């Protein structure tokens, strides 16, 4: 559905008008969400798409979403506060893409039995992965944002192989559906259900009733013979009938997004950045009169590696506000503003927040000939008011307060960076170069799966034995009851014969 820019602007204006008229709710909206509404047209567009361009319904959903995010603490959920065992056991994780190129969120139903896990921690687990998906899918698809397409959609992949009644947690499933229905607009591409047992048909009819009507056609039932219709064989795991032998292993988001090269070497030469005069590349400065060693902004690599796709050449800058109590305003500048598009080039980072900046090389420039002479400057200032207006931020940057500065160089993703890319590839896949360790990890993962299945089988067996005992007792009672009736009837007949003989 096409969303006109005027509707996005209207939705933004209506939100801030309501905020001015009614005042902030309790708890207040998170500064990161306010900044997202101010800066991110794509997010507002999704609310309009979800509600078929109805601005009032989109406003209501946006308002309720911000309330929920504030109460739930969505912006503060990181892998450090999610139960580590839940992250690592592989109940749910990000893996592969569907046929439309959308990232899949895999839920392995056999890894969970109702009541076996703390439900609050399960909620945090799902929200962590959804937020990580939002960030990851943005990085992968932000090139397409300039074409106004749906870059943020995902597919839920329910792996229901070897699943029984005990694995069917209706409360958990309802929570998943509620998130997509109420707080993550236009998020679903498909709901792919792999090898659902017939015994769960009744439960599925209940689940289906929770979905909005327009979501019903998104449901796709697949098995090993037809999964290729929705998932490429190279992305489908061998246990799904595909060719990929991937075994899940949790990899932290910092490792998965970029290489872990630290800020380090600085060239001591003069560089002209846009909007400024010559700046000598030195160590990051401090703030005004404050003499401190504290670093406010962490950038995961001092080199922006540009890679070429079929249509675009782009690089990424991964930022993190390392403070626990300060919001930061940041800006990104370059020595060659005519060569690059920077998205977003400025913004606000909440305490501990991460953000990925997209740098696109204009198509008329050659990556290998030009990038090595280009530089980027990332600056940040602490904010007293995390919900500062655009005018207040502009005034802050025009003041004489010294900003913390980080200088980055550019490099093409060619042979000279093969070692870095190889390291990144290993981190992204969660695999090790050490063959024996890798094999051992696979075997341990296999044992865990086998143990879980065996435990489920034992529980099911106990359940079946209990049912069999109940049936046996019921049959015995029925037989005794019938025998008593037969004995009574026989005694009556004998009494009648005796009476007649007399």
């Amino acid at each position: 559905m096409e969303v006109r820019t005027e509707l996005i602007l209207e939705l933004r204006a209506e939100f801030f008008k309501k905020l001015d008229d009614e005042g902030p709710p309790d708890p207040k909206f998170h500064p990161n969400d306010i900044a997202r509404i101010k800066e991110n047209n794509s997010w507002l567009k999704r609310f309009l798409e979800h509600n078929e361009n109805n601005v009032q319904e989109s406003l209501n959903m946006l308002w309720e979403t911000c309330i929920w995010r504030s109460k739930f603490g969505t912006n503060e959920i990181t892998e450090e506060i999610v139960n580590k065992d839940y992250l690592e056991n592989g109940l749910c994780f990000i893996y592969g893409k569907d046929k439309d190129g959308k990232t899949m969120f895999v839920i392995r139903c056999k890894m969970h039995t109702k009541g076996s896990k703390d439900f609050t921690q399960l909620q945090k687990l799902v929200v962590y992965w959804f937020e990580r998906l939002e960030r990851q899918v943005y990085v992968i698809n932000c090139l397409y944002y300039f074409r106004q397409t749906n870059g943020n959609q995902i597919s839920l992949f329910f792996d229901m192989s070897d699943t029984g009644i005990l694995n069917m947690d209706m409360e958990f499933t309802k929570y998943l559906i509620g998130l997509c229905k109420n707080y993550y607009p236009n998020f679903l591409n498909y709901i792919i259900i792999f090898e659902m047992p017939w015994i769960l048909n009744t439960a599925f009819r209940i689940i289906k009733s929770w979905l909005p009507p327009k979501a019903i056609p998104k449901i796709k039932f697949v098995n090993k013979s037809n999964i290729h219709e929705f998932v490429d064989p190279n992305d489908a795991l061998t246990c799904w009938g595909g060719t990929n032998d991937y075994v899940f292993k949790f990899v932290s988001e910092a490792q998965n997004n970029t290489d872990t090269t630290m800020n380090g070497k600085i060239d001591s030469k003069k560089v002209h950045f846009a909007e400024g005069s010559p700046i000598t590349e030195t160590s990051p400065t401090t703030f005004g009169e404050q003499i401190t060693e504290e670093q406010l902004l962490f950038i995961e690599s001092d080199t922006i590696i540009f890679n070429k796709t079929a249509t675009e050449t782009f690089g990424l800058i991964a930022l993190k506000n390392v403070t626990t109590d300060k919001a930061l305003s940041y800006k990104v500048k370059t020595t060659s503003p005519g060569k690059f598009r920077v998205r977003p080039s400025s913004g606000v980072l909440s305490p501990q927040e991460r953000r990925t900046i997209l740098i696109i090389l204009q198509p008329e420039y050659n990556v290998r000939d030009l990038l090595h002479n280009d530089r980027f400057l990332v600056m940040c200032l602490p904010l007293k008011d995390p919900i500062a207006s655009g005018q207040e931020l502009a005034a802050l940057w025009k003041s004489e307060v010294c900003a913390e500065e980080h200088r980055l160089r550019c490099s093409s993703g060619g042979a000279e960076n093969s070692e870095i890319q190889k390291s990144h590839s290993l981190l992204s896949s969660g695999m090790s170069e050490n063959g024996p360790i890798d094999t051992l990890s696979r075997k341990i993962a296999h044992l865990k799966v086998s143990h879980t299945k065996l435990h489920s089988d034992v529980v099911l067996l106990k359940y079946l034995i209990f049912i069999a005992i109940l049936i046996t007792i019921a049959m015995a009672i029925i037989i005794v009851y019938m025998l008593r009736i037969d004995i009574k009837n026989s005694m009556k007949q004998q009494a009648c014969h005796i009476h007649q003989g007399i």
Side-chain angles (χ1 to χ4, degrees), residues 302-307 313-315 367-368 370-376 408-417 420-421:
D302 67 347
T303 302
I304 307 173
I305 298 177
F306 282 77
N307 292 283
T313 300
F314 69 96
V367 62
R368 294 187 178 277
L370 299 172
L371 289 176
H372 300 286
N373 298 319
D374 297 314
R375 295 288 186 272
F376 279 81
L408 313 177
R409 63 186 182 87
C410 301
S411 179
S412 62
E416 62 191 82
N417 298 299
I420 293 177
Q421 291 180 324

Side-chain angles (χ1 to χ4, degrees), residues 256-292:
N256 198 52
N257 281 343
T258 63
D259 67 81
T260 54
T261 305
M262 300 288 288
N263 292 332
K265 300 177 180 178
I266 302 294
D267 298 331
S268 58
K269 53 186 172 184
K270 292 187 181 290
V271 178
H272 291 262
F273 289 94
E275 300 179 14
S277 54
I279 302 174
T280 302
E281 294 199 337
T282 58
S283 300
T285 63
T286 56
F287 291 87
E289 299 298 323
Q290 180 184 8
I291 306 299
T292 175

Side-chain angles (χ1 to χ4, degrees), residues 215-233:
I216 303 300
K218 296 176 182 284
I219 301 172
K220 307 297 179 183
F221 292 93
V222 299
N223 51 41
K224 289 183 178 180
S225 63
N226 68 344
I227 190 174
H228 63 275
E229 295 177 9
F230 298 99
V231 182
D232 190 276

